[in-house]
Amino acid sequence: FRLSSKPSTNSNGSVSIRGATYTKDPAWFNVPSNVLEATSRRLHLQKDHPVYITRQIIESNFPQPTYKYYNEYNPVVSTNQNFDSLGFPPNHPGRALSDTYYINEKTLLRTHTSAHQADTFRANESEGYLISADVYRRDAIDRSHYPVFHQMEGARSWDRDKVPNGDIAAAVRDDLEKLPKHNIEVEDPNPAFHEERNPLQDCHSAAEAQAIGEHLKRSLECMVVDIFSRAKAAAVKEDPNFVDEPLRMRWVEAYFPFTSPSWELEVYYAGDWLEVLGSGVVRQSLFNNAGVPNRLGWAFGIGIDRIAMLLFKIPDIRLFWSQDQRFLSQFEGVSDKLDTLRRFAPFSKYPPCPKDVSFWLASTSAAGGNTRGNFHENDIMEIVRSVAGDVVEDVRVIDEFTHPKTGRKSLAYRIVYRSLERTLTNEEANGFHEAVREALVKELGVELR
Ligand code: FA5
Ligand code: MG
């Protein structure tokens, strides 16, 4: 006997996700059915799926038992786990209904694997850990953004009471010596920390933070180099004359409420820099609150889907959700024999159908940033995704102006419709577009132009 893990919305105002039932608060609940359905997919646990294979390869760079793997954490978490425990201030924009999928005021679909940091530090079962999981965000629509994706959290910490002479910096440098090396030149113009932009924590010495930062960066760079060398080996097998572009990586200063200093790693891919992970030196308050105040160390959160795109040369993040055998069969058997990995061969290139929509906003109180009048740009993204599903490839604003006399604001968006599995007829694309236009009027109260 097994509880059904298919998510469902029950008539009594509750919702079932992975066998557990949660009470919906209509003032908060904002999970569309396509996102709810994705909670049962667990692509990181589906053998031979590219997300699974990529997880395996990243894991192999962070070996057990130093790192313990957690791959089964439930996607439904509390606001405390996802935000408070990590030091997000009460007014942080990430908490808004425009960015996060809520079940009720205190319960949400995790927006990142960092939601499990506090619990995993508290469990204190190993010096390091990796957590792979599906995560959920209201976000932009393009080839590298999807409302459901996969992250891997990683952390490594050292216990002041367990290292020789309590000298953490020396212990970390020792461990750094044991890590593999690579000979790729990485762009990293950043100082080990920066007083204003990327400060050292009061409780850390400069030498400690520097050693931890170096151990973090080397570990992650070697992982990316491994991914690229496997991608290259696959390409050479198909074409012995294959010459690839040299691997380019760069570190960029970043900010997270739960690390300092913090950095993001970007990789050059298809003519542009692609952000693959965020990372930093863990804020000591996390260890203190988790009952392990003697520990200190680093953490990262990586987009598994994005790494899988680099590894398999997958051009569009939507493909991971495809149930088409022409997609899935290309990876059969690879989980058990990683050296049979091959690059993705697109089944065919179907033509894009770009369509524009322009409208006057209902309100003239246009705010800045991504807030457009009385709604958020993510609302538009979700309306388009809810109407047209995975047939939407890209949505972006192409024009924005305020009428000089009336002060009314007008916006124009370009929506690119393209199926990855078949050719869309013009009638079908028009049908989707018409439905999107109607939904924009109905949901956002805009006036079409
Ligand atoms: C975070 O989520 C932090 N929790 C990462 C972290 C962990 C920092 C531990 C420090 C310590 P960020 O929002 O930048 O950070 O997301 C991390 C990665 O997830 C991104 O670099 C990207 O690779 C991936 N990602 C983010 N949004 C999307 C999306 N909509 N679709 C696909 N991948 C995404
Ligand atoms: Mg980021």
Side-chain angles (χ1 to χ4, degrees), residues 92-319:
H92 191 277
R95 293 180 185 253
L97 276 163
S98 58
D99 288 51
T100 296
Y101 293 114
Y102 281 87
I103 312 287
N104 56 49
E105 186 178 3
K106 294 263 176 273
T107 317
L108 51 88
L109 295 177
R110 67 183 154 223
T111 63
H112 54 177
T113 42
S114 301
H116 303 292
Q117 268 194 22
D119 295 335
T120 316
F121 284 133
R122 188 170 299 110
N124 198 22
E125 294 177 313
S126 56
E127 296 165 283
Y129 60 74
L130 297 179
I131 302 166
S132 297
D134 39 331
V135 300
Y136 300 80
R137 282 187 201 178
R138 298 184 89 224
D139 210 332
I141 295 183
D142 62 37
R143 285 154 170 250
S144 62
H145 288 83
Y146 199 79
V148 189
F149 58 102
H150 301 81
Q151 281 190 342
M152 187 188 291
E153 194 83 1
R156 174 83 158 90
S157 62
W158 290 265
D159 189 326
R160 281 191 198 277
D161 292 344
K162 292 198 182 130
V163 301
N165 312 317
D167 189 345
I168 291 274
V172 177
R173 280 198 306 269
D174 260 10
D175 284 334
L176 182 63
E177 281 309 307
K178 292 178 216 147
L179 288 180
K181 294 188 174 64
H182 66 78
N183 53 14
I184 305 288
E185 207 180 306
V186 182
E187 294 175 37
D188 188 2
N190 313 299
F193 50 87
H194 184 279
E195 212 174 312
E196 287 135 44
R197 297 192 311 261
N198 218 359
L200 185 68
Q201 298 176 47
D202 294 339
C203 52
H204 294 162
S205 72
E208 286 167 351
Q210 175 144 9
I212 291 171
E214 280 179 38
H215 191 278
L216 163 75
K217 287 176 174 174
R218 171 93 68 78
S219 304
L220 288 165
E221 289 166 9
C222 285
M223 182 275 293
V224 174
V225 170
D226 180 36
I227 293 284
F228 272 79
S229 66
R230 290 174 193 262
K232 182 168 185 191
V236 168
K237 236 184 290 165
E238 287 156 39
D239 170 10
N241 298 320
F242 175 83
V243 199
D244 63 351
E245 279 182 60
L247 167 57
R248 290 175 69 194
M249 285 185 268
R250 71 176 186 196
W251 288 101
V252 179
E253 284 178 347
Y255 173 80
F256 300 99
F258 40 96
T259 51
S260 193
S262 312
W263 307 276
E264 287 180 333
L265 180 61
E266 299 183 345
V267 173
Y268 200 73
Y269 178 62
D272 214 346
W273 289 100
L274 178 69
E275 180 201 313
V276 294
L277 63 91
S279 64
V281 178
V282 177
R283 270 196 201 274
Q284 208 56 33
S285 55
L286 262 99
F287 290 118
N288 298 347
N289 296 341
V292 286
N294 294 329
R295 291 203 158 269
L296 59 164
W298 54 249
F300 67 77
I302 191 164
I304 306 181
D305 314 59
R306 294 211 182 151
I307 299 289
M309 291 171 80
L310 301 173
L311 175 61
F312 293 96
K313 293 266 182 298
I314 290 178
D316 192 307
I317 196 163
R318 287 175 293 164
L319 274 162

Side-chain angles (χ1 to χ4, degrees), residues 19 68 70-71 109 113 142 145 165 203 270 337 360 415 424 429:
K68 184 173 157 84
Y70 300 85
N71 296 332
L109 295 177
T113 42
D142 62 37
H145 288 83
N165 312 317
C203 52
K337 245 181 146 301
W360 294 108
I415 304 174
L424 279 190

Side-chain angles (χ1 to χ4, degrees), residues 55-63 69 130 226 230 338:
R55 171 179 67 77
Q56 285 180 290
I57 294 175
I58 306 175
E59 283 175 352
S60 72
N61 283 270
F62 297 91
Y69 309 153
L130 297 179
D226 180 36
R230 290 174 193 262
L338 288 175

Side-chain angles (χ1 to χ4, degrees), residues 3-59:
L3 272 176
S4 158
S5 61
K6 277 246 169 293
S8 58
T9 307
N10 310 327
S11 52
N12 61 1
S14 65
V15 61
S16 302
I17 297 172
R18 293 203 195 154
T21 301
Y22 306 90
T23 308
K24 288 199 286 185
D25 178 342
W28 287 84
F29 185 80
N30 65 344
V31 191
S33 56
N34 58 325
V35 170
L36 202 55
E37 276 154 25
T39 59
S40 64
R41 295 286 297 278
R42 314 216 290 172
L43 302 181
H44 65 294
L45 298 176
Q46 181 181 319
K47 206 168 174 198
D48 288 343
H49 191 281
V51 171
Y52 180 109
I53 297 164
T54 305
R55 171 179 67 77
Q56 285 180 290
I57 294 175
I58 306 175
E59 283 175 352

